[in-house]
CSV table of all heavy atoms in Angstrom, one decimal:
chain,number,residue,atom,x,y,z
A,1665,PRO,N,-8.0,-93.6,119.8
A,1665,PRO,CA,-8.4,-93.8,118.4
A,1665,PRO,C,-9.9,-93.8,118.3
A,1665,PRO,O,-10.7,-93.9,119.3
A,1665,PRO,CB,-7.8,-95.1,118.0
A,1665,PRO,CG,-7.7,-95.9,119.3
A,1665,PRO,CD,-7.4,-94.8,120.4
A,1666,ALA,N,-10.4,-93.7,117.0
A,1666,ALA,CA,-11.8,-93.8,116.7
A,1666,ALA,C,-12.4,-95.1,117.2
A,1666,ALA,O,-11.9,-96.1,117.1
A,1666,ALA,CB,-12.1,-93.6,115.2
A,1667,THR,N,-13.6,-95.0,117.9
A,1667,THR,CA,-14.3,-96.2,118.4
A,1667,THR,C,-15.6,-96.3,117.8
A,1667,THR,O,-16.0,-95.5,116.9
A,1667,THR,CB,-14.4,-96.1,119.9
A,1667,THR,OG1,-15.1,-94.9,120.2
A,1667,THR,CG2,-13.0,-96.0,120.6
A,1668,ARG,N,-16.4,-97.3,118.2
A,1668,ARG,CA,-17.7,-97.5,117.7
A,1668,ARG,C,-18.6,-96.3,117.9
A,1668,ARG,O,-19.5,-96.1,117.1
A,1668,ARG,CB,-18.3,-98.8,118.3
A,1668,ARG,CG,-19.5,-99.2,117.6
A,1668,ARG,CD,-20.1,-100.5,118.3
A,1668,ARG,NE,-20.8,-100.1,119.5
A,1668,ARG,CZ,-21.5,-101.0,120.2
A,1668,ARG,NH1,-21.7,-102.2,119.8
A,1668,ARG,NH2,-22.1,-100.6,121.3
A,1669,SER,N,-18.4,-95.6,119.0
A,1669,SER,CA,-19.3,-94.5,119.3
A,1669,SER,C,-19.3,-93.4,118.3
A,1669,SER,O,-20.2,-92.6,118.2
A,1669,SER,CB,-19.0,-93.9,120.7
A,1669,SER,OG,-17.7,-93.4,120.7
A,1670,MET,N,-18.2,-93.3,117.5
A,1670,MET,CA,-18.1,-92.3,116.5
A,1670,MET,C,-18.9,-92.6,115.2
A,1670,MET,O,-19.1,-91.8,114.4
A,1670,MET,CB,-16.6,-92.0,116.1
A,1670,MET,CG,-15.8,-91.5,117.3
A,1670,MET,SD,-14.1,-91.3,116.8
A,1670,MET,CE,-14.3,-90.0,115.5
A,1671,HIS,N,-19.3,-93.9,115.1
A,1671,HIS,CA,-20.0,-94.3,113.9
A,1671,HIS,C,-21.3,-95.0,114.3
A,1671,HIS,O,-21.6,-96.1,113.8
A,1671,HIS,CB,-19.1,-95.2,113.1
A,1671,HIS,CG,-17.8,-94.6,112.7
A,1671,HIS,ND1,-17.7,-93.6,111.8
A,1671,HIS,CD2,-16.6,-94.8,113.2
A,1671,HIS,CE1,-16.4,-93.2,111.7
A,1671,HIS,NE2,-15.7,-93.9,112.5
A,1672,LYS,N,-22.1,-94.5,115.2
A,1672,LYS,CA,-23.3,-95.2,115.7
A,1672,LYS,C,-24.3,-95.4,114.6
A,1672,LYS,O,-24.9,-96.4,114.5
A,1672,LYS,CB,-23.9,-94.4,116.9
A,1672,LYS,CG,-23.2,-94.7,118.2
A,1672,LYS,CD,-23.8,-94.0,119.3
A,1672,LYS,CE,-23.1,-94.3,120.6
A,1672,LYS,NZ,-23.7,-93.5,121.8
A,1673,PRO,N,-24.6,-94.4,113.7
A,1673,PRO,CA,-25.5,-94.6,112.6
A,1673,PRO,C,-25.1,-95.8,111.7
A,1673,PRO,O,-25.9,-96.6,111.3
A,1673,PRO,CB,-25.5,-93.3,111.9
A,1673,PRO,CG,-25.1,-92.3,112.9
A,1673,PRO,CD,-24.1,-92.9,113.7
A,1674,VAL,N,-23.8,-95.9,111.5
A,1674,VAL,CA,-23.3,-97.0,110.6
A,1674,VAL,C,-23.5,-98.3,111.4
A,1674,VAL,O,-23.9,-99.4,110.8
A,1674,VAL,CB,-21.9,-96.8,110.3
A,1674,VAL,CG1,-21.3,-98.0,109.5
A,1674,VAL,CG2,-21.7,-95.5,109.4
A,1675,VAL,N,-23.3,-98.3,112.7
A,1675,VAL,CA,-23.4,-99.6,113.5
A,1675,VAL,C,-24.9,-100.0,113.5
A,1675,VAL,O,-25.2,-101.2,113.3
A,1675,VAL,CB,-22.9,-99.4,114.9
A,1675,VAL,CG1,-23.2,-100.6,115.8
A,1675,VAL,CG2,-21.4,-99.1,114.9
A,1676,VAL,N,-25.8,-99.0,113.6
A,1676,VAL,CA,-27.2,-99.4,113.6
A,1676,VAL,C,-27.6,-99.9,112.2
A,1676,VAL,O,-28.4,-100.9,112.1
A,1676,VAL,CB,-28.1,-98.1,114.0
A,1676,VAL,CG1,-29.6,-98.4,113.8
A,1676,VAL,CG2,-27.8,-97.7,115.4
A,1677,LEU,N,-27.1,-99.3,111.2
A,1677,LEU,CA,-27.5,-99.7,109.8
A,1677,LEU,C,-26.9,-101.1,109.6
A,1677,LEU,O,-27.7,-102.0,109.0
A,1677,LEU,CB,-26.8,-98.8,108.8
A,1677,LEU,CG,-26.9,-99.2,107.4
A,1677,LEU,CD1,-28.3,-99.3,106.9
A,1677,LEU,CD2,-26.1,-98.3,106.5
A,1678,ILE,N,-25.7,-101.4,110.0
A,1678,ILE,CA,-25.1,-102.8,109.8
A,1678,ILE,C,-25.9,-103.8,110.6
A,1678,ILE,O,-26.2,-104.9,110.1
A,1678,ILE,CB,-23.7,-102.7,110.1
A,1678,ILE,CG1,-22.9,-101.9,109.1
A,1678,ILE,CG2,-23.1,-104.2,110.1
A,1678,ILE,CD1,-21.4,-101.7,109.5
A,1679,THR,N,-26.3,-103.5,111.8
A,1679,THR,CA,-27.1,-104.4,112.6
A,1679,THR,C,-28.5,-104.7,111.9
A,1679,THR,O,-28.9,-105.9,111.8
A,1679,THR,CB,-27.4,-103.8,114.0
A,1679,THR,OG1,-26.1,-103.5,114.6
A,1679,THR,CG2,-28.1,-104.8,114.9
A,1680,ILE,N,-29.2,-103.7,111.4
A,1680,ILE,CA,-30.4,-103.9,110.8
A,1680,ILE,C,-30.3,-104.7,109.5
A,1680,ILE,O,-31.0,-105.6,109.2
A,1680,ILE,CB,-31.1,-102.5,110.4
A,1680,ILE,CG1,-31.4,-101.7,111.7
A,1680,ILE,CG2,-32.4,-102.7,109.6
A,1680,ILE,CD1,-31.8,-100.3,111.5
Side-chain angles (χ1 to χ4, degrees):
T1667 57
R1668 189 182 77 169
S1669 61
M1670 296 179 62
H1671 305 287
K1672 283 183 179 178
V1674 176
V1675 174
V1676 174
L1677 170 64
I1678 293 173
T1679 306
I1680 296 171

